[in-house]
């Protein structure tokens, strides 16, 4: 059997850490109770485990446990934040501000809200991928109810200045939401210091299980009102009904705990690996780094390659490495990434891009192999083209 390619797509998802799996397993079998069953020990056990997990997750972002609403992941959290705020505050205004480089789990709910009569401003970003604070200030109107700007970009890894944005929103009395799916466990997040009112989280980008996430919803200064989008048993203080998945929630908390316990050393390790990769790729001409060189996630490297076809490049690499490209196939055609286009790239450079997502299980020897193979592939594609 041939070996599977080296996994370098950690911005898409990550494997479950064995320690996370160990923490989860008893809650599938022995402690299987429904946390809403208040009449017997099976329910109490599940409830206690969820309570502890909620405390860990809240503490990780300097929130209180009552401010954590469990969801199925960041997509649902983003939908709940945007639609839930829009529905609760539409009497105060119908204008929302976001950016052009958000994940589709923000952009699509925004497009949906436009069909209901909300107005959305999509802020451009600077060529390094960071929002222009002056543009944000100009975009704010008396009827702006919400600003939603992601913490870390899933394609180019760029970190947005959350504290600065939060300060502006706070002084203007506008709610501030961030999509923190790529940021939690990778950079310090503090809902107080950053003036965050809502934040979407997910477990599967930090070695936790897929299908579990949370929305942080501020309860004091101000108390955020949110219209539920799922109605049922009134779980999660009425904001999100549905039986809580104890194993998923326990795994989520373990994943955050593990990530935070090694955040500094792991970031240092990833930066060193990324530098090895970057240095080898820089021996070629016509390689462009996408996104700010330092204000970015440690594990993310996104480059555009001049003079090669994007599809040919990905095809050339895929037997050796699992990476992502800046173009996505929709049902009919290949579209260049909206994020790379927002940086001002030509279609060619947006198509011919590679996202390397390094993670906890990436080794130095893998990075050397990947770097050498990528350099050779680009060289031979360029040679064929110039013949
Ligand atoms: C992965 C991701 C999402 C979607 O999260 P799910 O938990 O898979 O629904 C949303 N936003 C960003 C920035 C992401 O990276």
């Amino acid at each position: 059997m041939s070996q599977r390619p080296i996994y370098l797509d950690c911005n898409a998802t990550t494997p479950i850490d064995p320690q996370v799996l160990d923490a989860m397993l008893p809650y599938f079998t022995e402690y299987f109770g429904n946390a809403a069953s208040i009449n017997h020990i099976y329910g109490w056990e599940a409830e206690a485990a969820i309570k502890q997990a909620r405390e860990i997750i809240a503490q990780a972002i300097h929130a209180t446990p009552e401010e954590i609403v469990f969801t199925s992941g960041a997509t649902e959290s983003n939908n709940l934040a945007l639609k839930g705020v829009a529905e609760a505050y539409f009497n105060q205004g119908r204008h929302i501000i976001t950016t052009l480089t958000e994940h589709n789990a923000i952009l699509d709910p925004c497009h949906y809200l436009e069909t209901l009569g909300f107005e959305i401003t999509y802020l451009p970003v600077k060529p390094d991928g960071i929002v222009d604070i002056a543009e944000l200030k100009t975009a704010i109107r008396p009827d702006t109810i919400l600003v939603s700007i992601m913490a870390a970009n899933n394609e180019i890894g760029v970190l947005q200045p959350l504290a600065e944005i939060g300060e502006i929103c706070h002084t203007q009395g506008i709610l501030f939401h961030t999509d923190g799916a790529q940021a939690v466990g990778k950079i310090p997040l503090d809902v107080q210091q950053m003036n965050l009112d809502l934040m979407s989280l997910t477990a599967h980008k930090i070695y936790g299980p897929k299908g579990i996430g949370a929305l942080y919803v501020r309860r004091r200064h101000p108390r955020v009102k949110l219209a539920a989008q799922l109605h049922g048993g009134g779980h999660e203080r009425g904001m999100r009904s549905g039986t809580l998945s104890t194993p998923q929630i326990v795994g989520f908390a373990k994943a955050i705990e593990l990530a935070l316990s090694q955040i500094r050393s792991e970031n240092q390790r990833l930066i060193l690996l990324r530098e090895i990769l970057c240095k080898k790729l820089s021996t070629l001409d016509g390689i462009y780094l996408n996104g700010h060189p330092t204000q970015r996630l440690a594990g993310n490297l996104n480059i555009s390659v001049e003079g090669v076809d994007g599809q040919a490049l990905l095809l050339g690499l895929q037997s050796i490495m699992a990476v992502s490209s800046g173009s996505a196939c929709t049902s009919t055609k290949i579209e260049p990434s909206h994020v790379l286009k927002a940086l001002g790239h030509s279609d060619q450079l947006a198509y011919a891009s590679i996202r390397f997502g390094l993670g906890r299980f990436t080794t130095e020897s893998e990075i050397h192999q990947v770097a050498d193979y990528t350099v050779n592939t680009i060289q031979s594609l360029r040679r064929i083209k110039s013949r």
Side-chain angles (χ1 to χ4, degrees), residues 344-385:
H345 279 333
S346 65
D347 276 1
Q348 188 276 325
L349 279 184
Y351 279 127
S353 70
I354 315 168
R355 176 182 72 182
F356 299 97
L358 288 60
R360 186 175 295 168
F361 304 109
T362 308
T363 65
E364 186 173 335
S365 108
E366 286 179 332
I367 287 299
H368 282 290
Q369 280 181 67
V370 161
D372 293 339
Y373 195 84
T374 307
V375 167
N376 288 337
T377 306
I378 292 170
Q379 279 173 333
S380 58
L381 284 173
R382 283 177 175 167
R383 228 176 288 130
I384 294 166
K385 228 181 142 188

Side-chain angles (χ1 to χ4, degrees), residues 11-12 72-76 78 103 105 150 152-154 179 181-182 202 204-205 212:
N11 299 108
S72 64
T75 300
E76 187 189 332
N78 287 344
H103 192 278
M150 71 200 319
N153 187 275
N154 48 297
D179 177 349
Q182 294 284 344
T202 192
H204 76 94
K205 308 274 169 77
I212 186 72

Side-chain angles (χ1 to χ4, degrees), residues 86-342:
E87 200 180 322
Y89 289 85
F90 74 95
N91 278 329
Q92 292 173 38
R94 299 180 192 190
H95 180 236
I96 294 171
I97 299 172
T98 186
T99 77
L100 282 173
T101 56
E102 298 294 312
H103 192 278
N104 281 328
I106 291 289
L107 295 177
D108 287 351
C110 282
H111 296 147
Y112 168 73
L113 287 172
E114 284 175 313
T115 70
L116 300 184
F118 287 87
E119 270 186 78
I120 318 282
T121 299
Y122 301 91
L123 294 176
V125 295
K126 295 182 282 186
D128 61 11
I130 293 169
V131 289
D132 191 333
I133 293 294
E135 296 262 8
L136 169 65
K137 286 182 176 161
T138 321
I140 292 175
R141 313 193 315 210
D143 62 341
T144 307
I145 51 171
L146 177 69
V147 169
S148 178
I149 295 180
M150 71 200 319
N153 187 275
N154 48 297
E155 287 188 37
I156 56 177
V158 158
L159 308 177
Q160 299 294 355
L162 295 187
E164 213 177 329
I165 299 165
E167 174 73 28
I168 294 165
C169 295
H170 188 69
T171 47
Q172 306 246 14
I174 299 167
L175 295 179
F176 178 32
H177 166 255
T178 194
D179 177 349
Q182 294 284 344
V184 65
K186 300 179 194 166
I187 59 165
L189 291 171
D190 183 332
V191 297
Q192 305 309 341
Q193 184 253 330
M194 294 169 165
N195 279 303
L196 281 161
D197 298 307
L198 299 125
M199 174 156 55
S200 302
L201 306 172
T202 192
H204 76 94
K205 308 274 169 77
I206 47 166
Y207 315 92
K210 294 169 186 56
I212 186 72
L215 181 65
Y216 154 74
V217 186
R218 178 178 287 278
R219 297 241 295 175
R220 282 161 57 90
H221 314 299
R223 182 186 183 93
V224 176
K225 289 182 288 175
L226 204 62
Q229 303 299 306
L230 270 185
H231 304 90
H235 306 76
E236 301 298 88
R237 292 173 317 286
M239 284 188 263
R240 202 278 191 180
S241 288
T243 301
L244 293 173
S245 171
T246 318
Q248 303 282 85
I249 289 169
V250 166
F252 184 12
K254 187 70 188 176
I256 287 203
E257 200 173 57
L258 272 179
L260 287 183
S261 71
Q262 57 192 71
I263 191 167
R264 283 189 60 179
S265 55
E266 179 62 359
N267 279 342
Q268 277 169 3
R269 193 185 74 89
L270 289 172
I271 286 172
L272 286 179
L273 292 184
R274 190 179 72 195
E275 273 168 5
I276 294 172
L277 184 56
C278 219
K279 208 165 164 188
K280 286 201 170 178
L281 294 170
S282 307
T283 58
L284 298 171
D285 293 326
I287 304 283
Y288 304 96
L289 173 70
N290 293 316
H292 194 283
T294 54
Q295 203 170 315
R296 64 187 300 123
L297 292 173
N300 173 284
L301 180 71
N302 190 313
I303 58 161
S304 280
V305 185
E306 205 168 64
V308 298
D309 175 67
Q311 282 305 102
L313 178 59
L314 211 62
L315 269 171
L317 298 177
Q318 73 187 9
S319 62
I320 298 295
M321 63 193 86
V323 290
S324 232
S325 95
S327 49
C329 285
T330 60
S331 52
T332 48
K333 57 177 193 284
I334 306 165
E335 296 272 7
S337 139
H338 68 276
V339 175
L340 299 181
K341 291 291 282 180

